[in-house]
Amino acid sequence: MAGDRVFAALASPVRREVLRLLCEEGPQPVQRIAGRFDMARPSLSEHLRVLREAGLVSERKVGRQRLYRLEAVPLHEVREWLNPFERFWREKLTGLRDLLDDLDES
Amino acid sequence: MAGDRVFAALASPVRREVLRLLCEEGPQPVQRIAGRFDMARPSLSEHLRVLREAGLVSERKVGRQRLYRLEAVPLHEVREWLNPFERFWREKLTGLRDLLDDLDES
DNA sequence: ACTATAGGTAGGAAATATCCTACCTATCAA
DNA sequence: TTGATAGGTAGGATATTTCCTACCTATAGT
């Protein structure tokens, strides 16, 4: 599945935070992003590469900076993967779940 | 964040497939689950442990079998993490995105 | 042309993930 | 009680991840 890379990219808290940052504050150069993390810049570059290869960000050269921009469309795939599970947590939250389990397992 | 384990658990295609299986076909013993994968059973046991520690499945002893059951509630957390991004892919899909980017970056 | 800045790449160390086989315990069935 | 089955745990090989420092290129400013 192509979405493997997307799920793998989301496994890192750092990468999720980068996405949240780009979502809330718009496109940013690497330095501004790196300033938020207690990590050497080349390490962040690695994370950005993972996000790029998952299609979750794109880069655009502006002078000697590179603006990284959120590309949210692949996240739609994650959302769709979750869909079949939604009724389960809904049932749980409404207290209906235990009843259905008894039916399933009998 | 507690959800770190959930996102990490979802990074493996095998584990996502296990969840889908439990979702579609209800609680199952380890053997039935293992039959779906080209993998030694102890390896699958490892994957089940990861899912258990993320709170995504629970086990119940029944005779000498252990029924694994989907616990979907932690997935709600993933869904909520996605919420802020939703408007971005919506805009993209409706063709509105490029317009907003021009505003952001100017 | 020279210097400083932005940021990618190389290479390596340490930690973690993913698979295996071998082995152990618990339960069922004869 | 003895044998077979379900499934977890141990330990190890290999691959991947995640971080680092050192280095390189490209652009901007003087």
Side-chain angles (χ1 to χ4, degrees):
Chain A
M1 175 157 133
D4 284 1
R5 283 174 186 273
V6 177
F7 280 99
L10 296 183
S12 155
V14 171
R15 291 191 292 263
R16 289 198 305 280
E17 183 66 12
V18 168
L19 293 177
R20 199 196 52 77
L21 181 65
L22 295 179
C23 180
E24 291 179 358
E25 308 189 9
Q28 313 225 352
V30 176
Q31 282 212 318
R32 281 257 299 286
I33 302 171
R36 305 300 193 94
F37 299 93
D38 184 21
M39 175 182 295
R41 192 195 36 74
S43 303
L44 185 74
S45 270
E46 279 284 318
H47 285 298
L48 290 173
R49 189 183 52 76
V50 173
L51 289 169
R52 228 185 303 126
E53 290 176 354
L56 287 164
V57 300
S58 61
E59 66 154 35
R60 185 162 71 89
K61 287 189 64 168
V62 176
R64 63 188 140 174
Q65 313 199 99
R66 311 211 182 172
L67 284 184
Y68 275 82
R69 183 176 74 176
L70 174 67
E71 295 292 340
V73 170
L75 292 177
H76 189 214
E77 203 170 346
V78 176
R79 173 65 113 83
E80 291 199 313
W81 184 85
L82 288 173
N83 276 341
F85 298 95
E86 187 158 2
R87 76 174 189 90
F88 284 84
W89 74 65
R90 283 243 182 86
E91 284 158 4
K92 189 70 168 193
L93 297 175
T94 59
L96 190 59
R97 173 66 179 283
D98 296 330
L99 188 66
L100 290 172
D101 287 340
D102 292 343
L103 292 171
D104 279 348
E105 293 167 22
S106 62
Chain B
M1 176 155 130
D4 283 1
R5 283 175 186 272
V6 176
F7 280 98
L10 295 183
S12 156
V14 171
R15 290 191 292 263
R16 289 198 306 279
E17 183 66 12
V18 168
L19 292 177
R20 199 197 52 77
L21 181 65
L22 295 179
C23 181
E24 290 179 359
E25 309 189 9
Q28 313 226 352
V30 176
Q31 282 213 317
R32 281 257 298 286
I33 301 171
R36 305 300 194 93
F37 299 92
D38 185 22
M39 176 184 293
R41 192 196 36 72
S43 303
L44 185 74
S45 268
E46 279 284 318
H47 285 298
L48 290 173
R49 189 183 51 76
V50 173
L51 289 169
R52 227 184 304 126
E53 290 176 354
L56 287 164
V57 300
S58 60
E59 66 154 36
R60 186 162 69 90
K61 288 190 62 168
V62 175
R64 64 187 138 174
Q65 314 199 99
R66 309 210 183 173
L67 284 185
Y68 275 82
R69 184 175 74 174
L70 174 67
E71 296 292 339
V73 170
L75 291 177
H76 189 214
E77 203 171 343
V78 175
R79 174 64 114 82
E80 292 200 313
W81 184 85
L82 288 173
N83 277 341
F85 300 95
E86 187 158 0
R87 76 175 189 90
F88 284 85
W89 74 66
R90 283 243 181 86
E91 283 157 5
K92 188 70 169 192
L93 296 175
T94 60
L96 190 57
R97 173 64 179 283
D98 296 330
L99 188 65
L100 290 172
D101 287 340
D102 291 343
L103 292 172
D104 280 348
E105 294 168 22
S106 62

